[in-house]
């Protein structure tokens, strides 16, 4: 398969999609020794899920990730998102649901299939289904109509199963109210903080330091290191092999014309009078009057820029309120909705947004347009050259990798690729000791290899690599004199924490005895602003235990009976105030919240059902596949 792809890269379309396929093959490990041993990746009740099915599911997910992350998509992102597990889970889930659909007698008629295909946007031109577009999209994604339509039928069956399951899920008004209250009730607390950093005068003696080193010597080892040999295939090495024709540029432009659309823009100034989102109605009204008075000055002929410099409270104040040229989605909705419907030279009355009141002056309008082929041909040529060099680099790496698959050693693979073997210095898992574009990525891949094993094709930055780990240097406990300062710092930090916690404990006893934090906390007491259960607390962050403790307090239970430890120190906390949403606020949000909670309950119900199906069926797969 790799050889076929490399031999059929004659036009830009295949090269473009090869960029996607490369990621699939590189990270899936297709072509590796393990994948040749078996034709299935998993079984459900002894029925196999084939490698081809898995590859297709994986590729679909990678395509989605590429649409989301673009050129930033790499091995680290795919691993972080656990895409291999997602692909396998989606196949297992599909099989289980389709099996249930069969038991329920669910079928899809030809009319249902046809209607669903006609509505898919990717198959449309000028808002209508286009047969040629349909064939083209399927071809570019290596799909036949038969394979796609079978997949579509399966998808429709799954939708019907979900619809049956969801029909039994409902949400009561009480649930919505309780959820809204839980999420939007706010509390504020008083606290006294005992910060270990405040005990800077603590100085451990030599005996404490040496004792700590002896008890914790395992923490002071050198890093595990390895040494590798590798072949690097850089796109820049193949610049002389690339030739982009005018026909290829034109084809690219015709297929990707939407990339060259220039959206509508406007140029504007504004004067901002700030209002906090949670401001009282009195504050909102007073700032609106202030903004209206400034608007009246503008209407009376006073200079907008000078008024902006004098009254505006936004960052553009010193520039006379100048915001430059911007697209509609660059501004918050109320502002954009107004600015993009104004006439050139028009000045708006005050417009309210989350930031406050804006008086907008529209300087100019710029209609949407599309850049011509002539305007973008140089850019397209450069992009296609980069893509072609990238694919050539992968092609050459693939030739070397194929030779390894065929049994050649590393030296023979290097000869076939006309590449010099590079021997790295010794390096740790964070890449320290390397001098590459992605030291950390290279190091992580190399550390996963056993000694003398040659890797699959790995991509770091724009280059491709074959790696062979040749040496392992195990960690050793470092001599005391080498790590003495590190040990001293560790002992000092430990003693500071112990002292802070000790004083917090003594303070808590006094607070509990008096049932008040205010008097005892004089000089140290800090009050938070109102915060929600999912919010962040100024100077504290969104520490779960701290927030839960805060919401456990009320007028009758004013002091939290335990010390709260965070990364910033130790806290004694007490109740300050509680604010619950009023009835009008709850009623205004009921309909929207009902839909949100219903979707959440449906999703949870579906996942619970899938979990039960998995328990009822025998599912096996090799965990090594997902590494």
């Amino acid at each position: 398969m790799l050889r076929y792809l490399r031999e059929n890269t004659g036009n830009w379309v295949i090269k473009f999609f090869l960029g996607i396929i490369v990621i699939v093959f590189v990270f899936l490990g297709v072509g590796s020794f393990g994948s040749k041993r078996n034709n299935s990746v998993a079984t459900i009740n002894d029925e196999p899920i084939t490698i081809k099915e898995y590859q297709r599911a994986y590729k679909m997910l990678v395509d989605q990730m590429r649409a989301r992350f673009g050129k930033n998509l790499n091995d680290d992102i795919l691993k972080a998102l656990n895409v291999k597990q997602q692909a396998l889970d989606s196949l297992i889930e599909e099989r289980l649901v389709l099996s249930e659909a069969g038991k329920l007698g669910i079928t899809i008629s030809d009319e249902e299939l046809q209607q669903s295909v006609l509505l898919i946007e990717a198959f449309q031109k000028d808002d209508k289904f286009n047969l040629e577009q349909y064939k083209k999209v399927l071809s570019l994604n290596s799909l036949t109509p038969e394979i796609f339509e079978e997949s579509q039928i399966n998808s429709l069956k799954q939708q019907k199963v979900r619809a049956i399951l969801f029909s039994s899920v409902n949400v009561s008004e009480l649930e919505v109210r309780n959820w809204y209250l839980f999420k939007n009730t706010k509390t504020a607390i008083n606290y006294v903080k005992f910060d270990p950093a405040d005990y800077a005068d603590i100085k451990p003696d030599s005996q404490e330091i040496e004792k700590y080193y002896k008890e914790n010597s395992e923490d002071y080892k050198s890093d595990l290191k390895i040494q590798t040999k590798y072949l690097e295939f850089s796109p820049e090495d193949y610049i002389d092999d690339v030739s982009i024709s005018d026909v290829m540029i034109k084809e690219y432009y015709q297929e990707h014309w939407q990339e060259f659309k220039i959206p509508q823009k406007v140029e504007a100034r504004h004067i901002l009078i700030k209002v906090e989102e949670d401001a009282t109605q009195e504050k909102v009204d007073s700032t609106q009057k202030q903004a209206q008075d400034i608007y009246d000055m503008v209407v009376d002929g006073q200079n907008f820029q000078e008024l902006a410099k004098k009254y505006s409270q936004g960052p553009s104040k010193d520039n006379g309120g100048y915001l430059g040229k911007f697209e509609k989605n660059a501004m918050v909705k109320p502002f954009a909705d107004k600015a993009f419907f104004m006439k050139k030279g028009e000045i708006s009355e005050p417009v309210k947004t989350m930031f406050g009141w804006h008086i907008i002056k529209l300087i100019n309008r710029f209609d949407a347009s599309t850049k011509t082929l002539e305007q973008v041909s140089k850019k397209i040529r450069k992009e296609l050259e980069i893509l072609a060099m990238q694919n050539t680099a992968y092609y050459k790496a693939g030739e070397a990798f194929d030779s390894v698959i065929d049994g050649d050693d590393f030296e023979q693979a290097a000869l076939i690729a006309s590449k010099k073997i590079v021997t790295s210095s010794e390096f740790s898992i964070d890449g320290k000791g390397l001098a590459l574009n992605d030291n950390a990525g290279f190091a992580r891949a190399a550390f996963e290899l056993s000694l003398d094993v040659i890797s699959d094709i790995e991509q770091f930055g724009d280059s491709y690599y074959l790696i062979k780990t040749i040496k392992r240097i195990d960690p050793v406990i470092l001599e005391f004199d080498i790590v003495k300062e590190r040990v001293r710092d560790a002992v000092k930090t430990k003693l500071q924490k112990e002292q802070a916690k000790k004083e917090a404990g003594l303070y808590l006893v006094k607070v509990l005895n008096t049932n008040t934090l205010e008097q005892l906390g004089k000089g140290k007491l800090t009050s938070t602003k109102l915060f929600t259960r999912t919010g962040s607390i100024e100077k504290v962050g969104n520490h779960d235990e701290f927030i839960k403790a805060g919401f456990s307090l009320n007028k009758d239970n004013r002091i939290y009976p335990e010390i709260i430890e965070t990364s910033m120190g130790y806290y004694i906390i007490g109740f300050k105030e509680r604010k619950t949403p009023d009835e009008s606020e709850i009623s205004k949000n009921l309909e929207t919240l009902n839909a949100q909670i219903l979707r959440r309950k449906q999703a949870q119900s579906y996942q619970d059902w899938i979990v039960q199906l998995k328990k009822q069926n025998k599912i096996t797969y090799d965990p090594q596949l997902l590494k």
Side-chain angles (χ1 to χ4, degrees), residues 101 123 278 348 362 484 512 543 624:
F123 301 149
D278 58 353
S348 75
L362 197 75
K484 186 175 181 179
L512 291 173
H543 192 273
Q624 290 295 120

Side-chain angles (χ1 to χ4, degrees), residues 178-197:
N178 288 342
W179 183 88
Y180 191 83
L181 284 169
F182 181 83
K183 287 288 186 180
N184 294 281
T185 294
K186 296 180 179 180
T187 195
I189 62 165
N190 299 314
Y191 67 82
V192 177
K193 176 183 176 183
F194 293 82
D195 188 345

Side-chain angles (χ1 to χ4, degrees), residues 515-538:
N515 198 36
T516 181
L517 197 61
E518 284 80 356
Q519 293 176 358
L520 292 172
K522 189 176 181 181
K524 293 182 178 181
L525 192 69
T526 303
S527 296
T528 71
K529 293 180 180 179
L530 288 164
F531 57 88
T532 64
R533 286 179 171 85
T534 56
S536 183
I537 307 171
E538 187 179 5

Side-chain angles (χ1 to χ4, degrees), residues 194-205:
F194 293 82
D195 188 345
D198 292 341
Y199 303 90
D201 56 344
I202 290 178
K203 294 180 181 178
D205 60 36

Side-chain angles (χ1 to χ4, degrees), residues 217-349:
S217 59
E218 290 290 322
D219 295 338
Y220 297 95
K221 285 185 174 181
S222 61
D223 293 330
L224 168 65
K225 292 184 178 182
I226 61 173
Q227 187 176 28
T228 64
K229 289 184 177 181
Y230 64 87
L231 300 177
E232 179 180 4
F233 300 84
S234 173
E236 287 75 20
D237 295 342
Y238 305 102
I239 190 168
D240 295 333
D241 299 338
V242 170
S243 177
I244 305 299
S245 69
D246 291 341
V247 173
M248 294 165 67
I249 294 171
K250 186 176 181 181
E251 285 179 355
Y252 186 95
Y253 179 80
Q254 290 172 340
E255 290 293 330
H256 300 83
W257 62 271
Q258 288 189 328
E259 292 180 14
F260 309 111
K261 290 175 69 174
I262 303 172
Q264 181 186 22
K265 291 183 180 180
V266 297
E267 184 179 14
R269 296 181 184 274
H270 81 143
I271 298 170
L272 170 65
I273 303 301
K274 288 184 177 179
V275 187
E276 297 292 335
E277 282 192 89
D278 58 353
T280 63
Q281 189 60 45
E282 182 182 356
K283 181 68 174 176
V284 173
D285 293 342
S286 67
T287 51
Q288 183 181 17
K289 184 179 184 307
Q290 184 182 354
Q292 187 67 42
D293 290 343
I294 296 169
Y295 170 77
D296 292 340
M297 294 182 209
V298 176
V299 172
D300 288 342
Q302 294 192 41
N303 185 279
F304 191 97
Q305 291 176 236
E306 294 304 318
L307 289 172
K309 290 178 180 179
K310 184 175 181 180
Y311 294 109
S312 184
Q313 297 168 355
S316 62
K317 172 181 179 177
D318 295 338
N319 247 353
Y322 185 65
L323 296 171
K325 300 174 185 177
F326 52 87
E327 299 173 20
K328 191 171 184 179
N329 61 7
M331 295 293 176
V332 290
K333 193 174 186 303
F335 187 103
D337 285 347
K338 184 63 179 178
F340 275 78
F341 283 92
M342 291 170 65
K343 296 177 182 178
K344 181 178 176 180
E346 185 180 352
I347 296 169
S348 75
E349 291 198 24

Side-chain angles (χ1 to χ4, degrees), residues 569-586:
Y570 301 90
Y571 295 82
I572 310 300
I573 72 170
F575 179 75
K576 182 185 177 186
E577 65 173 309
R578 179 74 54 86
K579 182 180 180 181
T580 57
D582 59 35
E583 184 60 31
S584 63
E585 181 184 340
I586 297 172

